[in-house]
Amino acid sequence: MKERLLQLKEEALGELAGVQSQQQLSELRIKYLGKKGPLTEILRGMGALSAEERPAIGLVVNEVRGAIEEVIEAKQAAYNQAETEARLASETIDVTLPGRPAAQGAQHPINKVIQEIEDIFIGMGYTVAEGPEVEQDYYNFEALNLPKNHPARDMQDSFYITEDILMRTQTSPVQVRTLEKSKGRVPIKIICPGRVYRRDDDDATHSHMFTQIEGLVIDRNIRMSDLKGTLLRFMQELFGEQTKIRMRPSFFPFTEPSAEVDVTCAMCGGSGCRVCKHTGWLEILGSGMVHPRVLEMAGYDPEEYNGFAFGLGVERIAMLKYDIEDIRHFYTNDLRFLKQFVHL
């Protein structure tokens, strides 16, 4: 058996010396070292040897296998090296070429409008205040002159979590919390941006979740004319110096008197078009003088202090500013829509 092994070694090394390709090398590996190769057959037949012969033959088998594997591995390494060198020669890279530019992102149009509005009001001396989106009924309604069973609550179909906890329907609770923290100090000049939630059927102009920005000013001797002047300056900064506003009487439980504010249509400049339904005006926000009851509940004497408040929907502003016809575009994450705002 030893002579057979040595003969097998010479035969294998001889064939390996004449290998011309990786495929031929792979075939010889299988021929001599595979499960059906001669070395495997010899190992299976070692059971017929005596106990004294097995160790000696085992050493010879390992020597023959090691010699064959060593030659195969050396030749395989040579083939691998040659393949690498050939690829390096054929796949040369010009390191002086400019790199591939990364895809450029864009700020979401809602965030762009929020930032623009914040910049305008910060320039007027306002600060930005924020609060929780999951709110207590007290801050969302009661502290705003909307006690339980008040009919005005029917105007807002809310997402209640418990009897006293709900998803806020407006950012007005931030105003109440700010008044509480101020403990009677003035002046207060804040805007409150954030998401709000109302049970509504989603369509082209309505969404169960949207973004509001509300404003609050509290001090001594604040007048309705201060509110009008503030909103006029804001609209002119947002839509252009030619913009005009008009105020119409309205009702909000937390302001008295209250007013709806219209702005000249940005699409037609007030001449009338389909966007403004040929009136030349677009309803843009609600506003009014802070109700004395709201001031009292926050610890302010309404005989000494007063102020105004206003609120607007950011999506409404963005739709007018960028001529967007469907509010749902803001929330579907369609890259074709969002890419339009890369250079705006």
Side-chain angles (χ1 to χ4, degrees):
M1 185 175 286
K2 181 177 180 181
E3 288 76 12
R4 182 183 173 192
L5 285 167
L6 295 175
Q7 183 182 358
L8 180 63
K9 175 183 176 183
E10 294 299 324
E11 178 184 334
L13 294 179
E15 285 198 67
L16 287 169
V19 165
Q20 300 295 323
S21 67
Q22 287 200 65
Q23 182 178 353
Q24 189 179 1
L25 182 66
S26 178
E27 290 172 353
L28 290 177
R29 183 196 299 272
I30 295 171
K31 176 180 178 181
Y32 288 103
L33 304 178
K35 293 181 179 180
K36 297 181 180 180
L39 274 177
T40 303
E41 290 181 8
I42 292 172
L43 287 171
R44 288 173 181 166
M46 287 182 65
L49 299 175
S50 65
E52 292 79 11
E53 291 178 309
R54 284 176 196 164
I57 297 301
L59 287 173
V60 177
V61 170
N62 290 336
E63 179 188 341
V64 171
R65 177 184 290 276
I68 296 173
E69 287 178 343
E70 183 178 354
V71 174
I72 290 175
E73 288 173 3
K75 286 188 172 290
Q76 184 63 56
Y79 280 124
N80 292 342
Q81 179 64 27
E83 182 180 358
T84 299
E85 291 176 357
R87 289 185 61 188
L88 288 173
S90 63
E91 300 176 6
T92 54
I93 300 173
D94 186 350
V95 295
T96 65
L97 290 173
R100 295 178 181 175
Q104 184 178 1
Q107 193 174 24
H108 194 279
I110 294 297
N111 290 335
K112 287 173 71 70
V113 172
I114 290 174
Q115 189 175 72
E116 186 174 356
I117 293 173
E118 287 180 349
D119 288 344
I120 293 171
F121 279 105
I122 289 171
M124 295 183 188
Y126 287 68
T127 57
V128 178
E130 296 181 337
E133 295 179 16
V134 179
E135 188 55 274
Q136 298 178 38
D137 182 273
Y138 172 79
Y139 289 106
N140 196 80
F141 289 125
E142 292 185 46
L144 293 164
N145 200 32
L146 284 161
K148 292 186 184 298
N149 302 319
H150 192 290
R153 289 199 184 199
D154 296 337
M155 297 165 60
Q156 300 178 9
D157 198 1
S158 311
F159 288 106
Y160 272 91
I161 299 171
T162 69
E163 186 175 345
D164 295 312
I165 303 294
L166 74 159
M167 304 299 293
R168 68 181 180 188
T169 61
Q170 54 211 357
T171 58
S172 303
V174 182
Q175 299 181 25
V176 177
R177 290 178 178 274
T178 301
L179 288 171
E180 281 191 354
K181 291 177 183 177
S182 298
K183 299 183 183 215
R185 294 190 299 272
V186 293
I188 294 173
K189 292 179 71 175
I190 60 169
I191 58 168
C192 317
R195 287 185 292 268
V196 298
Y197 306 83
R198 298 181 188 179
R199 295 179 63 181
D200 208 344
D201 294 329
D202 290 3
D203 58 28
T205 57
H206 297 84
S207 174
H208 66 280
M209 179 197 76
F210 55 99
T211 313
Q212 265 193 348
I213 292 183
E214 297 192 12
L216 175 70
V217 172
I218 301 294
D219 205 343
R220 296 177 177 89
N221 303 317
I222 300 296
R223 300 180 297 272
M224 195 77 173
S225 58
D226 297 318
L227 169 61
K228 182 177 181 180
T230 298
L231 295 180
L232 176 60
R233 184 68 257 163
F234 164 57
M235 291 302 172
Q236 289 177 341
E237 290 283 345
L238 196 63
F239 292 112
E241 289 291 334
Q242 76 287 349
T243 305
K244 299 178 182 178
I245 66 170
R246 70 177 183 182
M247 303 178 77
R248 295 178 288 107
S250 186
F251 167 76
F252 302 109
F254 31 83
T255 53
E256 179 61 38
S258 303
E260 298 280 0
V261 180
D262 300 335
V263 64
T264 46
C265 179
M267 301 301 162
C268 64
S271 61
C273 65
R274 62 172 183 82
V275 176
C276 61
K277 299 179 181 178
H278 302 284
T279 65
W281 296 95
L282 292 169
E283 182 181 325
I284 207 80
L285 56 82
S287 64
M289 302 301 290
V290 178
H291 198 288
R293 178 64 181 148
V294 174
L295 290 170
E296 284 179 345
M297 294 182 71
Y300 285 79
D301 181 359
E303 296 296 327
E304 184 178 1
Y305 303 106
N306 64 346
F308 62 76
F310 56 87
L312 57 90
V314 177
E315 285 82 354
R316 172 77 166 153
I317 298 292
M319 291 173 76
L320 292 173
K321 195 170 181 63
Y322 299 122
D323 194 19
I324 296 168
E325 79 287 353
D326 195 322
I327 193 173
R328 290 169 291 193
H329 290 324
F330 294 124
Y331 305 113
T332 53
N333 295 324
D334 190 330
L335 289 177
R336 295 170 300 177
F337 170 76
L338 297 175
K339 283 179 178 178
Q340 298 176 80
F341 301 91
V342 171
H343 300 296
L344 291 180

